PDB file of all heavy atoms in Angstrom:
ATOM      1  N   GLY A 378      61.805  -8.915 180.411  1.00 95.00           N
ATOM      2  CA  GLY A 378      60.562  -8.947 179.644  1.00 95.00           C
ATOM      3  C   GLY A 378      59.950  -7.560 179.493  1.00 95.00           C
ATOM      4  O   GLY A 378      60.016  -6.739 180.415  1.00 95.00           O
ATOM      5  N   LEU A 379      59.373  -7.289 178.324  1.00 96.00           N
ATOM      6  CA  LEU A 379      58.835  -5.961 178.045  1.00 96.00           C
ATOM      7  C   LEU A 379      57.323  -5.947 178.250  1.00 96.00           C
ATOM      8  O   LEU A 379      56.614  -6.839 177.789  1.00 96.00           O
ATOM      9  CB  LEU A 379      59.179  -5.553 176.614  1.00 96.00           C
ATOM     10  CG  LEU A 379      60.676  -5.492 176.280  1.00 96.00           C
ATOM     11  CD1 LEU A 379      60.882  -5.088 174.831  1.00 96.00           C
ATOM     12  CD2 LEU A 379      61.405  -4.521 177.216  1.00 96.00           C
ATOM     13  N   LYS A 380      56.859  -4.902 178.920  1.00 95.00           N
ATOM     14  CA  LYS A 380      55.410  -4.737 179.163  1.00 95.00           C
ATOM     15  C   LYS A 380      54.878  -3.599 178.305  1.00 95.00           C
ATOM     16  O   LYS A 380      55.600  -2.629 178.039  1.00 95.00           O
ATOM     17  CB  LYS A 380      55.170  -4.412 180.653  1.00 95.00           C
ATOM     18  CG  LYS A 380      55.403  -5.594 181.582  1.00 95.00           C
ATOM     19  CD  LYS A 380      54.815  -5.359 182.969  1.00 95.00           C
ATOM     20  CE  LYS A 380      55.670  -4.530 183.869  1.00 95.00           C
ATOM     21  NZ  LYS A 380      56.742  -5.132 184.590  1.00 95.00           N
ATOM     22  N   ASP A 381      53.621  -3.701 177.899  1.00 97.00           N
ATOM     23  CA  ASP A 381      52.992  -2.601 177.160  1.00 97.00           C
ATOM     24  C   ASP A 381      52.963  -1.360 178.036  1.00 97.00           C
ATOM     25  O   ASP A 381      52.864  -1.458 179.262  1.00 97.00           O
ATOM     26  CB  ASP A 381      51.568  -3.002 176.755  1.00 97.00           C
ATOM     27  CG  ASP A 381      51.566  -4.192 175.807  1.00 97.00           C
ATOM     28  OD1 ASP A 381      52.667  -4.575 175.352  1.00 97.00           O
ATOM     29  OD2 ASP A 381      50.494  -4.731 175.529  1.00 97.00           O
ATOM     30  N   ARG A 382      53.030  -0.189 177.387  1.00 94.00           N
ATOM     31  CA  ARG A 382      53.106   1.041 178.174  1.00 94.00           C
ATOM     32  C   ARG A 382      52.073   2.067 177.700  1.00 94.00           C
ATOM     33  O   ARG A 382      51.841   2.194 176.508  1.00 94.00           O
ATOM     34  CB  ARG A 382      54.495   1.665 178.042  1.00 94.00           C
ATOM     35  CG  ARG A 382      55.615   0.758 178.496  1.00 94.00           C
ATOM     36  CD  ARG A 382      56.915   1.508 178.518  1.00 94.00           C
ATOM     37  NE  ARG A 382      56.935   2.494 179.598  1.00 94.00           N
ATOM     38  CZ  ARG A 382      57.282   2.195 180.844  1.00 94.00           C
ATOM     39  NH1 ARG A 382      57.605   0.966 181.171  1.00 94.00           N
ATOM     40  NH2 ARG A 382      57.287   3.134 181.768  1.00 94.00           N
ATOM     41  N   PRO A 383      51.475   2.810 178.660  1.00 94.00           N
ATOM     42  CA  PRO A 383      50.538   3.861 178.248  1.00 94.00           C
ATOM     43  C   PRO A 383      51.263   4.955 177.477  1.00 94.00           C
ATOM     44  O   PRO A 383      52.400   5.318 177.810  1.00 94.00           O
ATOM     45  CB  PRO A 383      49.998   4.391 179.583  1.00 94.00           C
ATOM     46  CG  PRO A 383      51.012   3.995 180.607  1.00 94.00           C
ATOM     47  CD  PRO A 383      51.648   2.750 180.110  1.00 94.00           C
ATOM     48  N   ILE A 384      50.617   5.473 176.441  1.00 97.00           N
ATOM     49  CA  ILE A 384      51.237   6.532 175.636  1.00 97.00           C
ATOM     50  C   ILE A 384      50.386   7.794 175.593  1.00 97.00           C
ATOM     51  O   ILE A 384      50.677   8.725 174.870  1.00 97.00           O
ATOM     52  CB  ILE A 384      51.553   6.061 174.201  1.00 97.00           C
ATOM     53  CG1 ILE A 384      50.293   5.514 173.536  1.00 97.00           C
ATOM     54  CG2 ILE A 384      52.649   5.016 174.207  1.00 97.00           C
ATOM     55  CD1 ILE A 384      50.466   5.315 172.043  1.00 97.00           C
ATOM     56  N   THR A 385      49.286   7.786 176.367  1.00 96.00           N
ATOM     57  CA  THR A 385      48.520   9.041 176.533  1.00 96.00           C
ATOM     58  C   THR A 385      48.328   9.228 178.023  1.00 96.00           C
ATOM     59  O   THR A 385      48.526   8.298 178.810  1.00 96.00           O
ATOM     60  CB  THR A 385      47.135   8.963 175.857  1.00 96.00           C
ATOM     61  OG1 THR A 385      46.422   7.839 176.380  1.00 96.00           O
ATOM     62  CG2 THR A 385      47.280   8.838 174.355  1.00 96.00           C
ATOM     63  N   ARG A 386      47.981  10.445 178.410  1.00 91.00           N
ATOM     64  CA  ARG A 386      47.684  10.663 179.822  1.00 91.00           C
ATOM     65  C   ARG A 386      46.771  11.852 180.044  1.00 91.00           C
ATOM     66  O   ARG A 386      46.534  12.646 179.155  1.00 91.00           O
ATOM     67  CB  ARG A 386      48.967  10.797 180.616  1.00 91.00           C
ATOM     68  CG  ARG A 386      49.834  11.953 180.194  1.00 91.00           C
ATOM     69  CD  ARG A 386      50.782  12.135 181.303  1.00 91.00           C
ATOM     70  NE  ARG A 386      52.049  12.691 180.978  1.00 91.00           N
ATOM     71  CZ  ARG A 386      53.030  12.733 181.886  1.00 91.00           C
ATOM     72  NH1 ARG A 386      52.861  12.240 183.069  1.00 91.00           N
ATOM     73  NH2 ARG A 386      54.154  13.301 181.594  1.00 91.00           N
ATOM     74  N   ASP A 387      46.273  11.937 181.284  1.00 92.00           N
ATOM     75  CA  ASP A 387      45.319  12.990 181.619  1.00 92.00           C
ATOM     76  C   ASP A 387      46.095  14.253 181.940  1.00 92.00           C
ATOM     77  O   ASP A 387      46.599  14.437 183.052  1.00 92.00           O
ATOM     78  CB  ASP A 387      44.484  12.559 182.840  1.00 92.00           C
ATOM     79  CG  ASP A 387      43.643  11.348 182.525  1.00 92.00           C
ATOM     80  OD1 ASP A 387      42.586  11.519 181.913  1.00 92.00           O
ATOM     81  OD2 ASP A 387      44.069  10.223 182.891  1.00 92.00           O
ATOM     82  N   LEU A 388      46.186  15.132 180.948  1.00 91.00           N
ATOM     83  CA  LEU A 388      46.957  16.349 181.091  1.00 91.00           C
ATOM     84  C   LEU A 388      46.488  17.265 179.963  1.00 91.00           C
ATOM     85  O   LEU A 388      46.031  16.790 178.932  1.00 91.00           O
ATOM     86  CB  LEU A 388      48.447  16.003 180.896  1.00 91.00           C
ATOM     87  CG  LEU A 388      49.511  17.028 181.298  1.00 91.00           C
ATOM     88  CD1 LEU A 388      49.529  17.164 182.815  1.00 91.00           C
ATOM     89  CD2 LEU A 388      50.900  16.580 180.821  1.00 91.00           C
ATOM     90  N   ASP A 389      46.570  18.578 180.143  1.00 90.00           N
ATOM     91  CA  ASP A 389      46.106  19.445 179.043  1.00 90.00           C
ATOM     92  C   ASP A 389      47.266  20.130 178.327  1.00 90.00           C
ATOM     93  O   ASP A 389      47.063  20.997 177.487  1.00 90.00           O
ATOM     94  CB  ASP A 389      45.081  20.477 179.552  1.00 90.00           C
ATOM     95  CG  ASP A 389      45.627  21.301 180.704  1.00 90.00           C
ATOM     96  OD1 ASP A 389      46.852  21.182 180.994  1.00 90.00           O
ATOM     97  OD2 ASP A 389      44.851  22.050 181.321  1.00 90.00           O
ATOM     98  N   TRP A 390      48.515  19.756 178.636  1.00 94.00           N
ATOM     99  CA  TRP A 390      49.681  20.368 177.984  1.00 94.00           C
ATOM    100  C   TRP A 390      50.443  19.290 177.228  1.00 94.00           C
ATOM    101  O   TRP A 390      50.944  18.344 177.831  1.00 94.00           O
ATOM    102  CB  TRP A 390      50.560  21.032 179.033  1.00 94.00           C
ATOM    103  CG  TRP A 390      51.851  21.614 178.500  1.00 94.00           C
ATOM    104  CD1 TRP A 390      53.109  21.258 178.845  1.00 94.00           C
ATOM    105  CD2 TRP A 390      51.992  22.655 177.522  1.00 94.00           C
ATOM    106  NE1 TRP A 390      54.017  22.004 178.151  1.00 94.00           N
ATOM    107  CE2 TRP A 390      53.367  22.867 177.336  1.00 94.00           C
ATOM    108  CE3 TRP A 390      51.078  23.426 176.785  1.00 94.00           C
ATOM    109  CZ2 TRP A 390      53.869  23.831 176.448  1.00 94.00           C
ATOM    110  CZ3 TRP A 390      51.572  24.374 175.890  1.00 94.00           C
ATOM    111  CH2 TRP A 390      52.950  24.575 175.745  1.00 94.00           C
TER     112      TRP A 390
END
Side-chain angles (χ1 to χ4, degrees):
L379 300 180
K380 288 195 278 278
D381 296 352
R382 301 188 70 85
I384 55 168
T385 56
R386 61 164 152 188
D387 297 280
L388 194 69
D389 55 8
W390 175 241

